[in-house]
Amino acid sequence: MRAYITMLGRSTWALVNTYYAVVMKGYKPDEIYIFLENTHEGKLPQTVEALKIISEAYGFSPKIYWEIIEEDNFLEADEKIGTLLKTLKEKGYEISTDITPGRKALVVGAAIHAIPLEVEHLFYLSLRNLEHANRPYMMIPLHTQRLKDFMEGRRWKKL
């Protein structure tokens, strides 16, 4: 089973475009988990719909879950994201985490657990030109974006 953890922040496009890039590279999760701060709840319906459309276009239909965190609540983000990552790891999931769209509390909550748990992928979609940031993935010139996987080829030492 594959799980994809992502975060919804100021830009819906950041979440959707990174997911599109990951799916185009062949990653098809069975489950998607979206973490978002309560200030971004209004963006959730269109985000979920976009993830469904992309997935269906590539021939699969993941279950989509979400968790709302209080704005800038680092402790809540740490607890909820950490618990999910540990639970998924214990169940044998292959885990991909996308930190591109997240606000700081969510990104920190994910990253501090992703590395020691040795999740399989830690994605970040880098754009060389931020003028293109609010466009659909296929409307951004491919040479101006790079999907980075911070876990690729790395072995992290446990302290």
Side-chain angles (χ1 to χ4, degrees):
M1 294 285 287
R2 289 180 161 180
Y4 184 83
I5 289 80
T6 189
M7 294 139 222
L8 179 57
R10 289 184 183 108
S11 171
T12 304
W13 285 118
L15 184 151
V16 172
N17 287 344
T18 306
Y19 182 69
Y20 201 137
V22 167
V23 170
M24 283 186 64
K25 294 228 180 249
Y27 193 83
K28 296 179 178 180
D30 300 291
E31 298 174 359
I32 298 172
Y33 296 86
I34 304 168
F35 285 90
L36 64 146
E37 292 179 340
N38 57 334
T39 54
H40 298 290
E41 277 184 76
K43 299 175 186 174
L44 190 57
Q46 68 186 24
T47 302
V48 169
E49 188 61 25
L51 295 174
K52 287 179 181 179
I53 290 168
I54 292 167
S55 300
E56 289 172 10
Y58 281 83
F60 68 106
S61 183
K63 294 178 184 172
I64 301 174
Y65 307 94
W66 55 86
E67 182 74 39
I68 298 169
I69 308 285
E70 182 183 335
E71 183 179 25
D72 289 329
N73 191 329
F74 285 82
L75 293 176
E76 184 182 11
D78 172 50
E79 178 187 326
K80 289 185 176 179
I81 296 171
T83 299
L84 174 65
L85 290 172
K86 288 173 190 166
T87 300
L88 292 171
K89 212 44 164 155
E90 288 170 2
K91 291 181 178 180
Y93 277 72
E94 178 182 316
I95 302 171
S96 292
T97 303
D98 169 28
I99 59 171
T100 309
R103 302 257 329 221
K104 286 179 180 63
L106 299 177
V107 170
V108 169
I112 64 173
H113 294 285
I115 293 171
L117 287 173
E118 298 180 1
V119 301
E120 285 72 16
H121 304 281
L122 185 59
F123 292 119
Y124 180 78
L125 183 62
S126 171
L127 295 179
R128 292 189 186 136
N129 184 343
L130 292 180
E131 285 178 25
H132 301 134
N134 289 318
R135 296 183 186 177
Y137 180 73
M138 295 307 286
M139 292 180 69
I140 302 171
L142 293 177
H143 70 278
T144 67
Q145 56 185 314
R146 184 179 329 157
L147 181 63
K148 297 178 183 183
D149 183 353
F150 293 113
M151 299 306 277
E152 191 173 293
R154 303 212 189 259
R155 294 209 179 260
W156 299 94
K157 293 182 181 179
K158 292 185 181 180
L159 300 176

